[in-house]
Amino acid sequence: MADEDRQQRVAGQKTEVWERPRRRRTLNTDENVEVPEPSYAWMPRSLQWETRVKPGKAGLRIGDLNVGIYGEIPDQWDEPTRMPRGAYPLAGIPPLGFALKNKRDMWADNAADLYEEAIQRRWIAATDIPWDTIQPLPDDVEAAMCQVCTELSQAANVEFETIGYWLQHMSYGYHEVKLFLATNMFDAGRHHEAFRKRALSNGGGLGLESRGEINRMILESKGGWSETSLFLHLLRGTYLLTVYRHCERFANNPAEKVLFARAMQDKARHVAYGIQHLRYAVTHQQDKALIFQRLLFIGERVFTKELQDPAMLEPLAIVFGGGIEGARAGMGHVKRMMADWLTAYTSACEWIGIQRAVPLSPDLAKYLED
């Protein structure tokens, strides 16, 4: 419903309060504390009384609450306070000045469902990973796995820091998105914890900190949440999802297999939001696809530069090959992993509506050619 309709509806509400005699009651205490008679002035303040929501087969889900006026999700949320969508507005509340107040800036139609999935599939790194199944590994394999987990833990840290920054700038009219991103942030914190635990659980330790070109690009992306999501969920999110999948395949023990499978499940959810949001942004804002196209041109080349750092692909080759002696064969599988990632990434770009003006950089395109 249009904002003017909402304003008329608020204006049409009864504004009288329930008048009661204001007597002062004296409690029978040592200090004789006087308590004023309640006024109940808040009680008639509702835009839609007699609202009843009913649980379905899956219980009472957040999307089930979108009935009547509570399901009206405007294209722009001009309320500058933390007033929940559908609450009765109160004059005189100091404004907060949210930077993101347009639906196109953050919305995804699947956010409510992804939130429900996230809270139902949450897991605990301390107890849900069978850490006692880890057995000693050859030093080269252990060192490689520790290096991979160091990189993944660092990427997860960047993810929850990035989302934490943007959440405070999102207006309260789109709580479904804010709720989901809160779970995304918590998932990332759990990934940071879990990968760090793997690095320290089998006689190895944390490895080398890479240059972190992608980390820096994501953290310093301040053009808008959509632009940040482009790098976080689309470009690197699809990459991490592919890495998790292949590491789960080549797990050395049940602990690693469960760890990467759980992380993969979470990351698929994060990527699903990002792709859906970016498509919504492209559909509802002129020239957004062109902006994304140009940003990805930059982002892909930053990614190419980071891939030249041996801190990730070389350890993966050792993990996949079962040691340094098998690293050559392992690098062949790394190339297949990269091809899988680029296929998923370019397909997602096409589904979002981002048409490529220039091809992938040669350093990335070679993986698809091979």
Side-chain angles (χ1 to χ4, degrees), residues 215-233:
N215 291 336
R216 190 166 189 173
M217 181 176 68
I218 293 171
L219 285 168
E220 294 180 357
S221 174
K222 296 295 188 291
W225 167 244
S226 297
E227 288 72 16
T228 301
S229 180
L230 186 76
F231 294 142
L232 182 67
H233 292 125

Side-chain angles (χ1 to χ4, degrees), residues 48-306:
Q48 184 173 306
W49 188 243
E50 295 186 348
T51 299
R52 289 182 175 86
V53 294
K54 298 181 179 180
K57 293 182 178 179
L60 187 59
R61 298 162 62 89
I62 193 69
D64 298 332
L65 306 181
N66 289 338
V67 297
I69 66 167
Y70 303 105
E72 296 171 4
I73 308 174
D75 291 333
Q76 182 170 325
W77 185 258
D78 290 323
E79 176 60 48
T81 71
R82 289 192 173 92
M83 184 190 78
R85 191 174 74 227
Y88 195 100
L90 181 65
I93 304 297
L96 297 174
F98 294 105
L100 301 176
K101 57 185 180 180
N102 291 315
K103 188 177 181 182
R104 68 193 182 199
D105 292 334
M106 67 196 84
W107 187 256
D109 291 334
N110 59 357
D113 290 337
L114 291 174
Y115 166 76
E116 296 289 347
E117 179 184 319
I119 60 176
Q120 291 170 18
R121 290 190 166 189
R122 59 193 182 277
W123 50 281
I124 303 172
T127 56
D128 288 338
I129 306 298
W131 298 110
D132 57 348
T133 64
I134 294 180
Q135 299 294 327
L137 294 170
D139 286 348
D140 53 353
V141 177
E142 181 64 30
M145 178 55 70
C146 288
Q147 179 61 39
V148 169
C149 287
T150 300
E151 284 289 294
L152 297 179
S153 182
Q154 186 180 18
N157 184 82
V158 169
E159 187 163 2
F160 68 71
E161 285 186 354
T162 300
I163 296 173
Y165 169 81
W166 283 105
L167 270 176
Q168 64 185 320
H169 295 293
M170 297 180 179
S171 58
Y172 273 60
Y174 311 105
H175 60 262
E176 294 91 342
V177 173
K178 290 172 75 74
L179 286 171
F180 168 71
L181 288 177
T183 68
N184 187 168
M185 186 165 63
F186 190 83
D187 289 343
R190 185 170 52 224
H191 292 184
H192 171 77
E193 168 201 359
F195 289 124
R196 182 179 178 88
K197 286 178 175 177
R198 171 58 191 90
L200 297 172
S201 63
N202 199 28
L206 294 174
L208 177 71
E209 178 188 10
S210 66
R211 294 191 180 95
E213 302 284 350
I214 297 295
N215 291 336
R216 190 166 189 173
M217 181 176 68
I218 293 171
L219 285 168
E220 294 180 357
S221 174
K222 296 295 188 291
W225 167 244
S226 297
E227 288 72 16
T228 301
S229 180
L230 186 76
F231 294 142
L232 182 67
H233 292 125
L234 176 60
L235 183 58
R236 199 187 30 205
T238 54
Y239 169 75
L240 290 177
L241 179 58
T242 308
V243 170
Y244 293 166
R245 179 160 59 86
H246 286 258
C247 285
E248 189 268 344
R249 176 181 174 184
F250 286 90
N252 296 290
N253 47 65
E256 291 178 6
K257 195 166 190 69
V258 173
L259 168 58
F260 284 108
R262 295 278 192 166
M264 180 168 47
Q265 173 183 282
D266 293 340
K267 186 56 62 182
R269 193 163 53 245
H270 308 161
V271 171
Y273 161 78
I275 292 176
Q276 188 73 250
H277 163 59
L278 295 172
R279 177 167 176 154
Y280 189 91
V282 165
T283 304
H284 291 81
Q285 185 171 351
Q286 188 177 8
D287 296 334
K288 200 67 172 179
L290 180 60
I291 294 172
F292 289 165
Q293 179 191 109
R294 292 175 176 174
L295 286 174
L296 288 178
F297 176 82
I298 298 171
E300 288 167 7
R301 277 143 187 82
V302 173
F303 214 110
T304 299
K305 183 179 178 182
E306 180 158 300

Side-chain angles (χ1 to χ4, degrees), residues 29-57:
T29 64
D30 293 340
E31 298 181 358
N32 290 326
V33 178
E34 293 185 345
V35 179
E37 186 73 14
S39 67
Y40 304 103
W42 52 269
M43 191 167 285
R45 309 298 191 184
S46 177
L47 297 182
Q48 184 173 306
W49 188 243
E50 295 186 348
T51 299
R52 289 182 175 86
V53 294
K54 298 181 179 180
K57 293 182 178 179

